[in-house]
């Protein structure tokens, strides 16, 4: 292989690594908003940004349990093999049409949410002062079931996302596919939460063997990855220099599956949550949602992920064969957190840490939310009745005043007539 070809391949490795590290970093910090606020943490002030929903302090997440983690490799294996069989025995065109429709809808929503997150972090608050906020609520039997708030910026970003989705559906361009893949990764890291380190380690350990079997033991993984025409991977030309120079022969692409980003990324995010937990435990002051705190576990795991991914690409480059990335990423992430905890003397705290809500806490939270909703509805109903009462009272008062004025006018008309009659009587007497 010539030197320019090697340089192009190194650029591809660097691009894939960057496209893995960026969503993990962004998604991990965005997921801090999903952490349960401790009882001794003060409630933050409502956001001044019209792009934020001040009614929702904590976002809803899907938390994996240890049982879910143990079953995940089995479920993923069934799904993977089912896709493989469909690609072998079902017409590929119809299958790709169905996949395109599904990922167009989901991708449009993911891209809108990701672009909104980027807009919040890029545009200063001073530029949003004139933006008006609208709110739509859904109620059932007088109780608010759901609500959504939005601005014209939300609508504009949604329109752009729809247009971009249409462009990808028509062209299937690899850059557009990467944009959707990165959006999926960031959103998944916000919505997916590993309940504890035991759950995270169980998941990574199970997928360690899952990846080895399906990559080395069969052709299933590689076949599905190449044929599955959907943004479930990030791509980069193997010879980037030749490709961007317009060389028609440069058609090969290097790829990295989103599973190799999201699954280890969720573990990296868990380390960041643990950093926030330990930092608040030592010094419970300030804003709990702040990102200004020591991050030893996050830093160690993030660097370990980078080393594991670099090792994957180095082995792939030497042996010229596809490699199961989780073969290197899973041990790197697990060992980094264990070694950091051992050095800091926090192994007990590491394994006792959990983000899962206990059943009693969940029931208590539901009761509190129900009371708050009923209280809010009662206040709104009372305000509505008060407003209707005053409006009706004002209307009645206006009618009474009008009747009074008409009676006064009639009295005024009768006065001249009575005076004329008296004058006539006086005149007749004088005569």
């Amino acid at each position: 292989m010539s030197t320019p070809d090697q340089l192009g391949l190194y650029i591809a490795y660097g691009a894939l690594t960057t496209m893995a590290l960026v969503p993990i970093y962004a998604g991990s910090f965005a997921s801090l908003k999903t952490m349960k606020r401790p009882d001794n943490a003060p409630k933050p002030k409502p956001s001044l940004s019209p792009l934020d929903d001040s009614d929702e302090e904590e976002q809803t997440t899907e938390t994996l349990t240890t049982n879910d983690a143990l079953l995940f490799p089995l479920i993923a294996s069934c799904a993977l093999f089912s896709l493989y069989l469909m690609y072998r025995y079902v017409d590929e065109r119809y299958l790709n049409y169905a996949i395109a429709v599904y990922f167009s809808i989901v991708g449009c929503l993911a891209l809108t949410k990701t672009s909104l997150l980027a807009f919040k972090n890029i545009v200063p608050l001073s530029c949003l002062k004139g933006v008006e906020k609208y709110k739509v609520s859904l109620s059932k039997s007088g109780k608010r079931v759901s609500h959504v708030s939005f601005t014209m910026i939300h609508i504009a970003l949604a329109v752009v996302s729809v247009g971009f989705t249409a462009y990808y559906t028509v062209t299937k361009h690899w850059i557009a596919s990467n944009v959707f893949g990165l959006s999926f990764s960031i959103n998944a890291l916000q919505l997916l939460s590993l309940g504890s380190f035991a759950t995270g380690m169980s998941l990574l350990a199970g997928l360690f063997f899952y990846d080895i079997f399906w990559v080395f033991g069969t052709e299933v993984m590689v076949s599905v990855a190449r044929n599955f025409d959907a943004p479930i991977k990030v791509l980069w030309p193997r010879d980037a220099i030749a490709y961007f120079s317009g060389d028609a022969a440069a058609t090969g692409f290097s790829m990295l599956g989103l599973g190799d980003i999201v699954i280890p990324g969720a573990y990296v995010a868990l380390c960041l949550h643990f950093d926030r937990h330990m930092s608040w435990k030592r010094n419970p002051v300030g804003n709990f949602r702040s990102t200004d705190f020591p991050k030893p576990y996050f830093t160690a795991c993030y660097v370990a992920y980078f080393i594991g991914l670099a090792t994957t690409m180095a082995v792939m480059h030497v042996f010229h064969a596809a490699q199961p990335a989780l073969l290197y990423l899973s041990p790197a992430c697990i060992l980094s957190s264990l070694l950091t905890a051992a050095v800091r003397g926090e192994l007990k705290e590491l394994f006792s840490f959990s983000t899962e809500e206990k059943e009693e806490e969940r029931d208590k939270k539901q009761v509190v939310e129900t009371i708050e909703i009923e209280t809010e509805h009662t206040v709104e109903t009372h305000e509505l009745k008060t407003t209707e009462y005053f409006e009706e009272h004002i209307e009645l008062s206006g009618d009474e005043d009008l009747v009074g004025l008409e009676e006064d006018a009639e009295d005024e008309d009768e006065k001249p007539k009575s005076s004329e009659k008296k004058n006539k009587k006086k005149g007749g007497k004088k005569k």
Side-chain angles (χ1 to χ4, degrees), residues 327-338:
L327 171 64
Y328 310 95
L329 295 175
S330 294
C333 292
I334 293 174
L335 290 176
S336 67
S337 57
L338 290 177

Side-chain angles (χ1 to χ4, degrees), residues 44 64 213 307:
L64 288 181
F213 173 76
I307 295 173

Side-chain angles (χ1 to χ4, degrees), residues 143-203:
K143 296 181 180 180
R144 189 175 71 176
V145 179
S146 178
H147 76 279
V148 61
S149 59
F150 62 93
T151 64
M152 294 305 297
I153 294 176
H154 289 79
I155 297 176
L157 293 175
V159 171
V160 172
S161 298
V162 170
F164 193 84
T165 302
Y167 169 76
Y168 167 73
T169 304
V170 174
T171 64
K172 298 293 182 180
H173 199 278
W174 63 274
I175 294 180
S177 177
N178 286 347
V179 172
F180 280 112
L182 296 177
S183 299
F184 286 140
S185 300
I186 294 173
N187 279 278
L189 290 174
Q190 292 182 72
L191 299 175
L192 178 64
S193 174
L194 301 178
S196 63
F197 279 95
T199 300
M201 292 177 186
S202 300
L203 180 63

Side-chain angles (χ1 to χ4, degrees), residues 74 216 229 310 411 430:
L74 179 61
F216 286 152
D229 191 11
D411 292 341
K430 285 180 181 180

Side-chain angles (χ1 to χ4, degrees), residues 91-379:
D91 192 335
E92 187 175 328
R93 292 177 302 169
Y94 300 118
L95 192 59
N96 285 332
Y97 288 153
I99 293 171
V101 171
Y102 173 77
F103 276 95
S104 294
I105 297 172
V106 178
C108 185
L109 297 174
L111 184 58
T112 302
K113 188 174 181 179
T114 305
S115 57
L116 180 63
L117 177 64
F119 196 90
K120 290 179 183 178
N121 292 303
I122 295 173
V123 179
L125 184 61
S126 58
C127 298
L128 302 175
K129 289 184 178 180
V131 178
E132 294 186 0
K133 190 174 183 179
Y134 305 93
K135 187 174 180 180
V136 177
S137 298
L138 297 178
S139 300
K140 182 179 180 181
S141 301
K143 296 181 180 180
R144 189 175 71 176
V145 179
S146 178
H147 76 279
V148 61
S149 59
F150 62 93
T151 64
M152 294 305 297
I153 294 176
H154 289 79
I155 297 176
L157 293 175
V159 171
V160 172
S161 298
V162 170
F164 193 84
T165 302
Y167 169 76
Y168 167 73
T169 304
V170 174
T171 64
K172 298 293 182 180
H173 199 278
W174 63 274
I175 294 180
S177 177
N178 286 347
V179 172
F180 280 112
L182 296 177
S183 299
F184 286 140
S185 300
I186 294 173
N187 279 278
L189 290 174
Q190 292 182 72
L191 299 175
L192 178 64
S193 174
L194 301 178
S196 63
F197 279 95
T199 300
M201 292 177 186
S202 300
L203 180 63
L204 288 177
L207 292 177
F208 171 85
F209 295 103
Y210 160 88
D211 226 17
I212 292 174
F213 173 76
W214 289 112
V215 174
F216 286 152
T218 68
E219 62 166 3
V220 174
M221 179 77 78
V222 177
S223 176
V224 171
R226 289 175 177 171
N227 294 322
F228 199 78
D229 191 11
I232 60 167
K233 52 189 177 291
V234 289
L235 305 166
W236 194 265
R238 290 182 61 84
D239 191 351
I241 297 175
Y243 180 87
F244 290 110
S245 298
D247 187 355
T251 57
F253 283 85
S254 297
M255 67 179 69
L256 180 67
L258 296 189
D260 299 327
I261 300 174
V262 174
I263 301 300
Y267 192 86
V268 176
L270 180 66
C271 291
L272 183 62
H273 290 194
F274 183 64
D275 284 328
R276 173 73 277 197
H277 168 74
M278 294 301 294
S279 173
W280 185 262
K281 185 178 179 180
R282 295 190 189 96
N283 187 26
V285 294
N287 182 10
F288 180 73
R289 301 297 174 194
S290 172
T291 58
D292 185 17
F293 57 88
K295 308 172 184 67
Y297 290 89
F298 171 78
T299 303
C301 196
Y302 194 65
V303 172
Y305 177 87
F306 169 74
I307 295 173
L309 189 59
T311 304
T312 304
M313 293 182 178
V315 174
M316 184 171 59
H317 181 78
V318 171
F319 292 97
H320 303 287
Q323 294 293 313
L326 292 176
L327 171 64
Y328 310 95
L329 295 175
S330 294
C333 292
I334 293 174
L335 290 176
S336 67
S337 57
L338 290 177
L339 288 174
T340 305
V343 171
R344 296 172 63 88
E346 297 172 345
L347 280 172
K348 183 179 179 181
E349 290 83 355
L350 183 81
F351 284 103
S352 63
F353 173 72
S354 176
T355 61
E356 298 178 21
E357 272 190 334
K358 296 180 180 179
E359 189 174 351
E360 296 178 358
E361 294 180 354
R362 193 181 303 113
D363 294 341
K364 183 179 178 181
K365 186 176 179 181
Q366 290 178 352
V367 171
V368 171
E369 289 177 352
T370 303
I371 293 173
E372 288 178 351
I373 292 173
E374 290 179 352
T375 303
E376 183 179 353
H377 174 67
T378 303
V379 172

